Amino acid sequence: MDRNKQEQDVRVKDHIRGCLMAGAAGDALGYPVEFMSREAILAHYGPEGITRLETRDGKALVSDDTQMTLFTANGILMGITRGAMRGVGGNPEGYVQYAYLDWYYTQTGRKHRWFEHGFTWLRNLPELAHRRAPGNTCLSACDSLLNHRDVENDSKGCGGIMRVAPMGLLTASYDIKDTSISNAATAWAGAEIARCTHKHPLGFLPAALLTHVVHRLALLSTEDGIAQFTNLVTGATELLKDIYQGEFDRDKQYLTALTARALELASSRLNDHEAIARLGQGWTGEEAWAIAVYCVARHLHEPEQAVIAAVNHDGDSDSTGAIAGNIVGVLYGLEALERRHFLCPAGRNLTDTLELADIILALADDISTGCIVSEYAPNDTPEQQQWLARYVYMKPAGIHKEPAYRRPFVPGKITSLKPNEIFVFGSNLAGSHGGGAALAAWKRFGAIMGQGVGLQGQSYAIPTMQGGVETIKPYTDEFIAFAASHPELTFLVTRIGCGIAGFSDSDIAPLFREALPLSNVLLPRSFVEVLNAL
């Protein structure tokens, strides 16, 4: 695989993970204060409001917003699998309403008598069977769907937009596989997912905007996403003319004006509370969208502050927090947020703090991968068997495995270090640091020309150019022993040997197996994925 393509795949996968995890984090931050006024929030939490995830038995609880987002993801993945295995199938968004019937079962115990086994692998997981303030519109709509009645309401509640991010992520994953879906089709799909329960145009048109923005941001680096954010949001509103043509013109105009107002307020001198109050309280779809856009645009370089602003107001804190979280998550990616301990209590990360984290990450990774089975293939690899179990037989295969590695991953590009951090790079025995990570180590982190092994400044050299993998192992063993004897230092291991030296992740990663128990050794995600599969 082309190296640039491989790097893009890794980045997009990380940003898909970030979108769903940060969305859940925003939901969890806002859930305890959803029905509190701003005055009550400040009285309880202090002048900054709620700024860190509250935990119960060590976990931050999510609301119905995250639950329904996960069922959205499961529904679209079931849809694309049906198409692959049956040779026929509608658009993936058309299957989401069936997934929502499974969500409805987790809330009420009611299920369709003809579909005893359900439509998703989520339905029978005990951790999904909790009522977390589900919206009345979603419940009544699902009751109608269950009983084969038309959904009839005029709701523009935010219960439509808060759950649609997976659709934008799926189309982003299509793009990197050279199977592009048009911007208008992506936006329309997001709107239709919301429209199956919320029938007022302002209940589903904002979902089109969020789906488009998530889709586009997932394909960009953080730097490019920040630079282009305002234009992407404005471009989303311009797409409204291309969907539901000839319909809902007044609502489209209002939504476009409200979005522009949110962007204007982001550049104003008003504080967050005053600006958000001018947009509404977030109980409706268009207000929740506008508040999230304002918060992200105002705090583009401070993702935590964007979500904190999105929940500390008088309105629907968990939904506005979830939407803002989706946006900053797809903008920054999970690895960057984990390094920041995003919204977490001191010393903790999202992966070990958020309820349902393993399920969120499983669905995120399946969205990234896309359907890997076919009616014309043997489907006999472990990965294909797991996919079939999840999306054909509706079994939670592979869930609840205890990961061997529960720390942040090393980011793809490192430009600065904390005082106690060490940059671990691949070198040659001569210490000629002329390219790749070795050049970066020499220019930035104290590597010494002529020294090909060991600690030097804030860097550590492991030679990889002298022969086969067996010639590298003595040096990785030496490094692991060194790291174990220096717990005061944190070692950031780059993808040593996988550049100029010409090795693959599967060649090099096993050399770091003994580093897995060392909490001060951070590895690249690609190495950990190889090690977890061993």
Side-chain angles (χ1 to χ4, degrees):
M1 180 185 293
D2 176 78
R3 185 172 180 178
N4 290 335
K5 179 69 164 58
Q6 186 177 41
E7 290 176 354
Q8 182 193 39
D9 288 352
V10 170
R11 186 185 72 245
V12 172
K13 180 177 181 178
D14 177 54
H15 286 224
I16 288 173
R17 285 177 147 224
C19 182
L20 295 188
M21 288 289 280
D27 174 26
L29 188 70
Y31 180 46
V33 300
E34 178 181 9
F35 300 110
M36 295 171 65
S37 68
R38 175 175 167 81
E39 182 180 0
I41 294 171
L42 300 187
H44 185 81
Y45 292 97
E48 302 300 319
I50 186 169
T51 62
R52 288 290 177 267
L53 293 169
E54 288 190 343
T55 60
R56 180 183 302 174
D57 296 327
K59 295 294 182 182
L61 304 186
V62 299
S63 80
D64 63 313
D65 294 40
T66 297
Q67 292 175 340
M68 294 199 75
T69 299
L70 298 179
F71 278 95
T72 300
N74 201 154
I76 60 179
L77 291 168
M78 181 265 286
I80 64 173
T81 304
R82 180 179 173 84
M85 292 301 293
R86 297 288 182 87
V88 295
N91 294 327
E93 63 272 13
Y95 293 89
V96 171
Q97 65 178 353
Y98 300 107
Y100 292 159
L101 293 182
D102 279 4
W103 169 78
Y104 185 64
Y105 170 74
T106 68
Q107 305 298 295
T108 66
R110 301 171 192 163
K111 60 185 177 183
H112 200 296
R113 65 182 184 277
W114 294 346
F115 297 100
E116 182 67 24
H117 300 293
F119 302 97
T120 67
W121 58 264
L122 296 176
R123 190 186 75 167
N124 294 314
L125 291 177
E127 50 267 65
L128 267 298
H130 297 288
R131 283 181 72 102
R132 300 284 171 75
N136 289 329
T137 298
C138 289
L139 288 172
S140 63
C142 287
D143 186 72
S144 294
L145 292 170
L146 181 68
N147 291 288
H148 306 287
R149 298 192 305 264
D150 290 340
V151 176
E152 297 180 352
N153 62 54
D154 196 35
S155 175
K156 58 177 181 176
C158 65
I161 184 176
M162 55 77 168
R163 62 181 196 243
V164 300
M167 191 66 233
L169 300 176
L170 180 69
T171 55
S173 77
Y174 284 175
D175 275 3
I176 63 172
K177 300 177 183 69
D178 300 321
T179 310
S180 296
I181 307 297
S182 73
N183 289 336
T186 295
W188 181 85
E192 286 295 289
I193 289 172
R195 196 181 188 185
C196 76
T197 57
H198 289 67
K199 297 302 184 180
H200 191 289
L202 291 176
F204 58 83
L205 291 175
L209 304 185
L210 178 62
T211 304
H212 172 71
V213 169
V214 163
H215 169 212
R216 299 311 306 167
L217 286 175
L219 299 171
L220 297 175
S221 67
T222 300
E223 294 77 12
D224 288 344
I226 289 172
Q228 297 180 34
F229 181 73
T230 297
N231 288 338
L232 284 176
V233 171
T234 302
T237 62
E238 293 171 357
L239 271 179
L240 290 174
K241 69 180 185 300
D242 297 325
I243 61 175
Y244 306 110
Q245 293 182 359
E247 299 181 272
F248 319 127
D249 287 344
R250 181 176 298 179
D251 297 300
K252 291 176 181 178
Q253 291 167 7
Y254 176 73
L255 181 56
T256 298
L258 185 64
T259 303
R261 181 63 172 150
L263 292 172
E264 290 169 4
L265 287 168
S267 300
S268 74
R269 295 185 178 182
L270 296 176
N271 63 37
D272 287 334
H273 172 56
E274 293 169 330
I276 289 170
R278 297 192 180 192
L279 297 170
Q281 295 187 345
W283 298 107
T284 60
E286 79 280 7
E287 290 180 2
W289 158 254
I291 290 171
V293 165
Y294 160 81
C295 292
V296 176
R298 183 66 171 265
H299 302 287
L300 271 170
H301 297 279
E302 302 173 293
E304 296 88 354
Q305 195 55 47
V307 177
I308 289 168
V311 306
N312 284 286
H313 58 83
D314 289 319
D316 193 355
S317 296
D318 60 339
S319 294
T320 51
I323 298 166
N326 287 146
I327 298 172
V328 299
V330 77
L331 184 60
Y332 278 85
L334 181 59
E335 289 187 10
L337 296 181
E338 292 284 54
R339 284 171 64 83
R340 300 173 72 104
H341 303 281
F342 182 73
L343 299 176
C344 289
R348 298 189 64 182
N349 299 309
L350 287 179
T351 305
D352 57 23
T353 301
L354 274 178
E355 178 187 34
L356 308 181
D358 56 343
I359 296 169
I360 296 168
L361 292 174
L363 286 163
D365 290 348
D366 286 348
I367 289 172
S368 299
T369 303
C371 184
I372 57 174
V373 298
S374 166
E375 64 175 324
Y376 303 111
N379 300 322
D380 53 3
T381 70
E383 294 81 8
Q384 289 170 324
Q385 288 294 304
Q386 177 173 280
W387 189 281
L388 289 172
R390 289 181 182 175
Y391 301 109
V392 175
Y393 304 112
M394 312 308 169
K395 304 294 184 184
I399 304 301
H400 305 317
K401 287 195 306 183
E402 187 66 23
Y405 184 94
R406 298 181 64 85
R407 314 187 278 285
F409 298 105
V410 174
K413 185 176 183 180
I414 300 170
T415 57
S416 62
L417 295 172
K418 296 177 182 177
N420 69 324
E421 290 183 333
I422 305 298
F423 181 83
V424 181
F425 66 99
S427 65
N428 53 67
L429 287 170
S432 300
H433 307 314
L439 182 61
W442 176 64
K443 286 186 172 181
R444 296 193 179 107
F445 307 129
I448 300 170
M449 281 292 182
Q451 183 174 334
V453 183
L455 187 68
Q456 36 199 297
Q458 275 191 269
S459 65
Y460 189 105
I462 298 177
T464 61
M465 303 284 287
Q466 65 277 2
V469 172
E470 71 282 357
T471 71
I472 303 173
K473 189 176 188 303
Y475 297 103
T476 55
D477 289 348
E478 181 181 338
F479 160 72
I480 292 168
F482 182 85
S485 66
H486 290 278
E488 76 280 5
L489 300 176
T490 297
F491 297 87
L492 280 60
V493 178
T494 62
R495 294 177 63 242
I496 70 160
C498 297
I500 298 171
F503 296 102
S504 68
D505 293 307
S506 59
D507 293 327
I508 300 297
L511 301 178
F512 289 90
R513 186 198 298 265
E514 298 305 316
L516 286 175
L518 300 181
S519 62
N520 65 327
V521 176
L522 306 187
L523 299 174
R525 181 188 297 278
S526 55
F527 281 15
V528 175
E529 289 176 346
V530 171
L531 290 168
N532 282 342
L534 294 178

